[in-house]
Amino acid sequence: EQTVTISKQAVTPVIPSAKMCGFKAGDKIIFKDLLGCMLVYSGNDTSVAVAEHISGSEEEFVYLMNQRATGLGMKDTHFVDCCGLPDSAEHYTTARDIATISRHLIHNYPEVYDFTTIWMEDIVHSTNRGDSVFTLSSTNKLLKQYPYATGLKTGFTSNAKYCVSATAKKENISLIAVVMAAETSDLRNQDAMNLFNYGFSVSRLYQDTRSLGCDSLPIKGSIAETIPVACKEQFSYLDITGMDFANVQRKIMVQEEIEAPVAMGQSVGKIVYTCDGKELGSVDIVSLASVEKASVWDYYGKLFVKYLL
């Protein structure tokens, strides 16, 4: 909900064909509206405005972009600006790296990802020239062309050609398809649909719907004798090899002695899943409450209640 003041640099096109949202220097725009303009309409001026608001300058924001890319293991990516328009040999990425950062966005920043699911939306721009309605129309035509499409982002430059990182969901299976260097937008979209159709045809999802089997575990060093526990999340595994899910086994592993103090959400064990000797993954067993370590006075009080009352 923060207000962003648009700078002169943000509204100066990097190249004449840059897609702009028509802001003027000095305009004050709500940050979430800028995200809509950037992620739905592909406004290059808004990407600069967002970068400047977060980091003070585009250069500093690009430094953070490269740091984040490195932290995510994107070994074949390097950014020189925040919108990718200049044709620089030092600005590059790969389909795999784009898939990596797309997945990171979906799982960790759902409020941002939600903007990419919008097909068309009107927003009100309040500027020093008064209020005006601006219609955001998505550049991702897959949202209308493919029945399972859910969102994410297109791109185009003369060197990169037509690109997209697209998402789709069918029967609880969510996939990311990345296409680069397509000759036309129609070919780009068809390639993405072909990838999705293939992915859905070979993918099967295993989900463990069983309960943990216990609601609490014993704890030492606290007045409480047990702590409430549960699985941190439901376990799921996406298979493309034809695995027989009937052979999936799970092993519940908890700490032999859980010692207080224990924080809410703290891991006290895990469930490990295997199939035919192959480990599929695990989920943490976590405490549903905070339990403090008992003091000497707590023990005296407990003895008092037990023997004197």
Side-chain angles (χ1 to χ4, degrees):
E1 299 298 331
Q2 294 180 7
T3 299
V4 179
T5 301
I6 305 300
S7 72
K8 182 178 180 180
Q9 180 177 339
V11 297
T12 303
V14 179
I15 58 175
S17 60
K19 194 168 186 180
M20 312 293 278
C21 290
F23 299 129
K24 303 294 184 182
D27 285 352
K28 298 184 183 300
I29 311 296
I30 300 299
F31 186 83
K32 68 177 181 180
D33 288 344
L34 287 179
L35 287 181
C37 291
M38 182 174 66
L39 296 169
V40 180
Y41 184 70
S42 286
N44 296 110
D45 49 352
T46 54
S47 68
V48 177
V50 166
E52 291 177 337
H53 181 69
I54 292 173
S55 299
S57 69
E58 182 180 3
E59 292 75 18
E60 180 61 24
F61 188 78
V62 172
Y63 171 76
L64 296 179
M65 290 170 68
N66 286 312
Q67 276 196 323
R68 177 57 58 88
T70 299
L72 293 175
M74 298 166 61
K75 299 179 180 179
D76 300 300
T77 294
H78 184 261
F79 303 111
V80 298
D81 64 83
C82 69
C83 61
L85 283 175
D87 289 332
S88 169
E90 297 302 312
H91 190 103
Y92 54 84
T93 191
T94 65
R96 178 180 291 275
D97 282 359
I98 289 297
T100 295
I101 201 169
S102 297
R103 181 172 57 186
H104 182 72
L105 172 72
I106 294 165
H107 287 296
N108 295 281
Y109 304 97
E111 299 92 344
V112 179
Y113 170 69
D114 284 347
F115 280 98
T116 75
T117 68
I118 296 171
W119 170 247
M120 188 171 289
E121 183 176 78
D122 287 342
I123 62 174
V124 177
H125 285 179
S126 297
T127 70
N128 49 21
R129 301 181 305 280
D131 292 349
S132 62
V133 176
F134 188 80
T135 300
L136 302 178
S137 180
S138 178
T139 58
N140 184 7
K141 306 308 177 187
L142 286 168
L143 290 172
K144 287 295 183 181
Q145 294 177 355
Y146 190 64
Y148 308 111
T150 52
L152 266 183
K153 195 70 197 74
T154 62
F156 172 80
T157 67
S158 57
N159 280 346
K161 300 183 181 178
Y162 291 89
C163 308
V164 68
S165 178
T167 56
K169 184 175 183 179
K170 179 182 180 183
E171 297 175 355
N172 289 327
I173 295 177
S174 298
L175 300 178
I176 300 168
V178 181
V179 177
M180 291 181 166
E183 292 295 332
T184 67
S185 60
D186 288 341
L187 289 174
R188 169 188 66 191
N189 294 345
Q190 187 59 57
D191 283 346
M193 289 187 283
N194 290 343
L195 285 171
F196 282 135
N197 289 337
Y198 171 76
F200 288 128
S201 72
V202 300
S203 299
R204 295 168 60 244
L205 187 67
Y206 172 82
Q207 292 180 298
D208 185 11
T209 58
R210 293 170 288 180
S211 66
L212 177 59
C214 63
D215 296 326
S216 62
L217 291 172
I219 186 172
K220 296 183 67 175
S222 171
I223 292 299
E225 296 181 352
T226 62
I227 56 170
V229 295
C231 292
K232 184 178 181 180
E233 58 190 354
Q234 183 186 56
F235 178 78
S236 62
Y237 179 80
L238 187 66
D239 176 62
I240 60 171
T241 66
M243 178 184 298
D244 186 354
F245 289 159
N247 295 333
V248 174
Q249 296 180 323
R250 71 176 192 173
K251 183 178 181 180
I252 298 177
M253 306 168 65
V254 296
Q255 299 175 22
E256 290 186 8
E257 288 189 349
I258 303 173
E259 292 274 357
V262 174
M264 181 182 294
Q266 180 178 324
S267 176
V268 294
K270 64 180 179 179
I271 304 178
V272 179
Y273 294 83
T274 59
C275 184
D276 298 327
K278 176 185 177 182
E279 184 172 323
L280 307 181
S282 63
V283 293
D284 284 337
I285 300 171
V286 298
S287 172
L288 297 180
S290 296
V291 180
E292 299 295 331
K293 187 176 181 66
S295 66
V296 173
W297 296 108
D298 289 326
Y299 286 118
Y300 279 140
K302 191 173 184 180
L303 289 172
F304 180 80
V305 170
K306 181 176 182 179
Y307 292 107
L308 300 180
L309 295 182

